[in-house]
Amino acid sequence: MGVLERGGNAFDAAVAGGFMLQVVEPHLNGPGGEVPILFWSEPERRMRELCGQGPAPALATPAYFRQQGFELVPGIGLLPATVPGAFGAWLALLRDYGTWDLQDVLAPAIAYAENGFPLVPRIVQAIAAVESLFRTEWTSSAAVWLPDGRLPHPESVMRTPAIAQTYRRILAESADAAGGREGRIQAAHDIWYRGFVAHAIDDFYRNQRIRDCSGERNAGLLRCEDMADWRATYGQPATLDYGRYTVAKCGPWSQGPVFLQQLAMLRHLDIEGLQADSPQFVHRLAEVAKLAFADRLAWYGDPAHTDVPLAALLSDDYARARAVAVGAGAQTQLQPGSPAGRMPRLPDLQAADRALAAADTRYGVGEPTFASLPPIHEWAAREIFVGDTCHLDVIDRHGNMVAATPSGGWLSSSPVVPELGFSITTRLQMTWLDEGLPGTLQPGKRPCTTLSPGLALRDGEPYMVFGTPGGDQQDQWTVAFFMRHAALGMNLQEAIDAPAWHIDHFPGSFWPRTTILNRLTLESRFPVETVDALRAAGHDARVGPAWSEGRISACTREPAAGGLLLRAAANPRGMQGYAVGR
């Protein structure tokens, strides 16, 4: 908000916010993570996607992992690293659409890294979960997150000066670049991906052997060459119409089209007259989610390497045929469809059981969602969500709009690279080692990320940016939110606050990729009659805490006399979501 009030536009503000989140929410994202971005440029009158998801290293092949005895790519350590794409994506957005210099948008993050920021309790919870691993194995992480050798207290002030030093060095080395503001930003980009940052990552990943969830010490595969060849890329988002709305999502390199597939089916399921807490509303949304996520498993992947039948998946004929499967009872099996007559093929879902049986989970799991709940046999049964990602939405006075979902590089995902002060993303765990699948691991190929910002037009005009953290739950919580707003007429805050739920009916996207079928977890604020009716329909319905499902935020813009009317709403769950406007 400070950037906007000092004359910056939405792109400047989003970049500054993104860098700040890397410092003050290190359990949810970091400088070595990734970010997908959707935005509306008012001067260009168009929406675009910007992919900050880095690909697999050149050395990362299914054959390599199988030769090392792996059934799945590990969830933590050095082996699951992809090229860290967040820095490149934020800089591309700033260079091409922002107005500020890099030093100005980095200034708040540098100040907090140098001077300190208060540790919210969940950061301490995340550190505590891996404290023994840091002390005995990941000593570079212990040096950062266990100051003076001690577990920090909640609300104590934490400093991460090495991150500030990294950013200051980048600014110093790029300060004299030719080409003005854009030239300095491009020089900073090249320093990260071809200069001392890339060389520090290469040296650490090449020469260190680090304990991971296999129980063994393994060196990494990420190299300078992987970094040097990568650029964040712009694209046209996938879209689908629902009534007055056109919803945009990132392409099938993300799970974003899952949202659109659900909307396409819901157009045929008479949602508008239902109550938001009724069993009919929950049942129909849960059942279309099962179908869409089965298609994600069978068909989604990096379209630069995989022939994804996206047009067929989003076609109305396909949606109508899929919606027929939504009956009075709950689906209990995975049911991927056959878009354009193509037959689906699924990965070996038993690999998760074999990988888990061979793993040493004392050293962590793939996703910090459950980082506070080891050992694995305990958290797997408890269904507690802690959080693993960030989300931010920005609309400025000009009408520019940005939705971004930064993640990866979590403090518990991989050891800190000592020279840089931060960890590297472990997103490669979202690939499969089976040959010939859309999600098969392949050098240079992006893993299909769960990260999924959203953007919507209304009556052809830019209207809303929205999103949430939450891994596989992102395009469940936001679909229900969108339907409550667009179909049932709730305002933004009502649509966010309404009782929510999620399904488990697919292999999880994070290690150990365990498959759970037909589970429906609802907040306890639902009427007992709704829960009973869902159970009677065959759902394995579980009841969780009253305010436990979702982390949604949203902003809207509408024409008004003399300019734009802007609205925003944020999630009360977790008490770390905020809506600010002026």
Side-chain angles (χ1 to χ4, degrees), residues 104-171:
D104 296 321
V105 297
L106 275 174
I110 291 173
Y112 276 94
E114 285 183 335
N115 301 324
F117 58 94
L119 291 174
V120 297
R122 290 186 177 184
I123 300 177
V124 178
Q125 189 180 29
I127 298 170
V130 287
E131 179 182 1
S132 62
L133 174 64
F134 284 4
R135 291 188 185 280
T136 61
E137 300 287 343
W138 295 7
T139 54
S140 61
S141 294
V144 175
W145 301 113
L146 298 172
D148 300 321
R150 299 175 183 174
L151 181 69
H153 294 289
E155 307 304 337
S156 61
V157 175
M158 171 67 71
R159 296 174 61 251
T160 50
I163 293 176
Q165 182 179 352
T166 295
Y167 284 145
R168 286 199 180 280
R169 181 175 172 185
I170 291 171
L171 292 174

Side-chain angles (χ1 to χ4, degrees), residues 464 481 484-485 489-499 525 547 552-556 567-573 577-580:
M464 179 166 65
F481 153 77
R484 289 190 288 260
H485 179 60
M490 291 184 175
N491 67 37
L492 294 182
Q493 197 62 55
E494 289 171 333
I496 289 173
D497 291 353
R525 293 181 294 130
W547 295 89
I552 297 166
S553 64
C555 303
T556 60
R567 292 187 174 95
N571 189 58
R573 300 163 178 90
Y578 305 92
V580 183

Side-chain angles (χ1 to χ4, degrees), residues 339-360:
R342 293 165 57 174
M343 295 305 295
R345 178 169 163 246
L346 301 181
D348 177 8
L349 300 183
Q350 302 306 311
D353 296 332
R354 297 192 297 270
L356 190 54
D360 188 340

Side-chain angles (χ1 to χ4, degrees), residues 19-361:
F19 282 123
M20 175 68 101
L21 284 170
Q22 294 171 358
V23 172
V24 301
E25 293 197 339
H27 59 315
L28 306 182
N29 76 141
E34 55 269 317
V35 60
I37 304 170
L38 284 174
F39 64 93
W40 171 270
S41 167
E42 183 65 18
E44 295 177 337
R45 296 290 298 171
R46 66 167 172 170
M47 53 186 172
R48 302 185 80 182
E49 70 172 28
L50 179 56
C51 177
Q53 174 58 61
L59 296 175
T61 65
Y64 173 85
F65 281 95
R66 292 202 179 279
Q67 288 166 5
Q68 306 304 312
F70 288 101
E71 293 273 3
L72 298 170
V73 176
I76 64 169
L78 303 183
L79 284 172
T82 60
V83 172
F87 189 83
W90 288 128
L91 263 63
L93 189 68
L94 182 66
R95 179 195 63 211
D96 299 335
Y97 290 91
T99 64
W100 280 27
D101 273 297
L102 179 59
Q103 65 178 6
D104 296 321
V105 297
L106 275 174
I110 291 173
Y112 276 94
E114 285 183 335
N115 301 324
F117 58 94
L119 291 174
V120 297
R122 290 186 177 184
I123 300 177
V124 178
Q125 189 180 29
I127 298 170
V130 287
E131 179 182 1
S132 62
L133 174 64
F134 284 4
R135 291 188 185 280
T136 61
E137 300 287 343
W138 295 7
T139 54
S140 61
S141 294
V144 175
W145 301 113
L146 298 172
D148 300 321
R150 299 175 183 174
L151 181 69
H153 294 289
E155 307 304 337
S156 61
V157 175
M158 171 67 71
R159 296 174 61 251
T160 50
I163 293 176
Q165 182 179 352
T166 295
Y167 284 145
R168 286 199 180 280
R169 181 175 172 185
I170 291 171
L171 292 174
E173 293 187 10
S174 60
D176 296 328
R181 186 188 77 92
E182 291 82 1
R184 289 189 293 274
I185 293 172
Q186 185 59 49
H189 177 284
D190 293 343
I191 291 165
W192 183 282
Y193 290 100
R194 298 184 174 211
F196 79 90
V197 175
H199 288 286
I201 294 171
D202 183 299
D203 179 68
F204 190 73
Y205 274 65
R206 185 189 299 267
N207 296 313
Q208 298 296 317
R209 301 185 68 85
I210 299 296
R211 188 90 69 178
D212 55 41
C213 50
S214 70
E216 304 296 328
R217 293 185 177 93
N218 291 290
L221 304 175
L222 188 59
R223 300 288 184 266
C224 282
E225 293 80 8
D226 303 308
M227 303 273 287
D229 292 339
W230 183 80
R231 297 289 184 274
T233 53
Y234 291 102
Q236 188 65 24
T239 61
L240 190 112
D241 293 335
Y242 184 93
R244 300 173 61 190
Y245 299 88
T246 300
V247 180
K249 282 284 184 174
C250 294
W253 54 269
S254 76
Q255 74 175 15
V258 162
F259 185 109
L260 305 181
Q261 284 195 249
Q262 292 173 79
L263 283 194
M265 287 182 272
L266 290 169
R267 290 187 302 200
H268 303 289
L269 291 175
D270 298 325
I271 295 297
E272 282 74 7
L274 301 177
Q275 295 296 314
D277 62 354
S278 68
Q280 296 87 354
F281 184 76
V282 177
H283 172 75
R284 292 176 197 181
L285 268 67
E287 292 300 290
V288 300
K290 291 177 181 178
L291 295 168
F293 277 88
D295 279 345
R296 180 191 69 166
L297 179 63
W299 299 112
Y300 289 21
D302 184 348
H305 294 265
T306 299
D307 180 17
V308 181
L310 185 60
L313 288 166
L314 298 181
S315 71
D316 192 59
D317 287 344
Y318 182 74
R320 186 186 302 272
R322 293 288 274 161
V324 171
V326 179
Q331 302 166 61
T332 59
Q333 301 297 320
L334 282 171
Q335 298 185 56
S338 299
R342 293 165 57 174
M343 295 305 295
R345 178 169 163 246
L346 301 181
D348 177 8
L349 300 183
Q350 302 306 311
D353 296 332
R354 297 192 297 270
L356 190 54
D360 188 340
T361 56

